[in-house]
Amino acid sequence: MDLFDVYPINNINITRGTGSLVYDDKGTEYLDLYGGHAVISIGHTNPHYVKRLEDQLHQIGFYSNSIEIPLQKQLAEKLGHVSGKEDYQLFLCNSGAEANENALKLASFYNGKKKVIAFRKAFHGRTSLAVAVTDNPKIVAPVNKTDNVIFLPWCDEAALEQAFAGNEISSVIIEGIQGVGGIQVATESFLQKIRALCDQHNAVFIADSVQCGYGRTGKFFSHDFAGVDADIYSMAKGMGNGFPIGGIIISPKIKPAYGMLGTTFGGNHLACAAGLAVLEVIEQDNLLQNAAEIGGYLISELKKLEQVKEVRGRGLMIGIELPEELSHVRKDLLFKHHIFTGEAKPNVVRLLPALNLTKAYADRFLEAFKQTIASA
């Protein structure tokens, strides 16, 4: 049997990792500033994380949601404390797409409406409703298409007001910083406008925090920079440091009912152990502060480079927009300097490292990046 060939891959076999470093099967060391697409939040094989999972596996790895799982309550309590959303409710699932799927469904249950506002260049996942609110026709199958989604220009307040005036809106879903869209930061005034219009029209504000949340920007949720609370926050990626876990946290105004949402694997014992380990390390090691400081340093240094068109982002979610003649930079960083980064087409290099990235590793990247663009 062959693999279903849907991923363009680099011919590199990573076999082990520690912190911000990974190693291939030939022993070559790489600096990981991609984190498997913003997933590695506290570093590869973090000792506390490994012990948490190992200890749990020796007890029980899985049972379904038909029984009490105290770890779920512990995770909810810790998440409320670290995020500052202590009065919210937690529903656990397995991925970011699932989180957004459940958020959109829950919003419609809440107000009985169908229309969803999403934004140009948005990416919210590949499952049925999540992909319908994703602005990429190439990955939307005919069965996923729906007339219930209204795509608006990014951060256009007039267009947002017009959409609310002409439609019965169930929810607005927005990334605080678009990832696939090229590290586009939502303005604080636009997020505040979404909050005000949702309140006015009894719509649900869904803050997609799958990539831009969990401390990556220096605040727990990137939407927090606007000083308003969303009704639902979706999470995944950095939530489990590589273990599949996702979730939504839900405003107390939205009331649960048996059968409204459900999952087999969501909130299993191992997933909760992974989630708790991540939050414990984030809290103990002050990783929100580190993300803000090291990210701020990187952004400041990158903005000094004349060859760079624009630097966007917050904390350790950074997009470096390059001119077309430097489109080779990401591959050169990987194959010549052994540094993993991400991309957003056409010419944006994305940095999504672990939140405990050190200044020394930041400087290692900056030196390699300067050499690469200078030799072009």
Side-chain angles (χ1 to χ4, degrees), residues 293-305:
E293 290 177 356
I294 301 299
Y297 170 70
L298 277 166
I299 290 170
S300 174
E301 293 299 306
L302 288 164
K303 284 184 174 180
K304 297 175 182 177
L305 305 177

Side-chain angles (χ1 to χ4, degrees), residues 101-180:
E101 195 87 17
N102 280 294
L104 292 159
K105 180 181 178 182
L106 187 58
S108 188
F109 271 134
Y110 168 72
N111 55 29
K113 302 175 186 178
K114 296 180 180 179
K115 296 287 186 181
V116 179
I117 292 174
F119 298 94
R120 294 297 174 196
K121 296 188 177 181
F123 184 91
H124 297 293
R126 295 176 182 270
T127 55
S128 188
L129 191 51
V131 83
V133 295
T134 290
D135 186 27
N136 182 354
K138 292 181 180 179
I139 65 171
V140 181
V143 73
N144 302 132
K145 292 178 181 177
T146 172
D147 294 330
N148 289 326
V149 180
I150 302 166
F151 284 103
L152 298 182
W154 183 245
C155 290
D156 186 330
E157 294 187 19
L160 183 68
E161 289 181 345
Q162 187 175 357
F164 266 97
N167 300 275
E168 286 286 313
I169 301 301
S170 173
S171 60
V172 180
I173 185 167
I174 185 168
E175 301 155 272
I177 302 176
Q178 288 186 332
V180 174

Side-chain angles (χ1 to χ4, degrees), residues 18 60 91 102 116 146 169 214 227 297 359 366:
T18 178
I60 185 169
F91 176 78
N102 280 294
V116 179
T146 172
I169 301 301
Y214 247 76
Y297 170 70
K359 185 174 181 294
L366 288 168

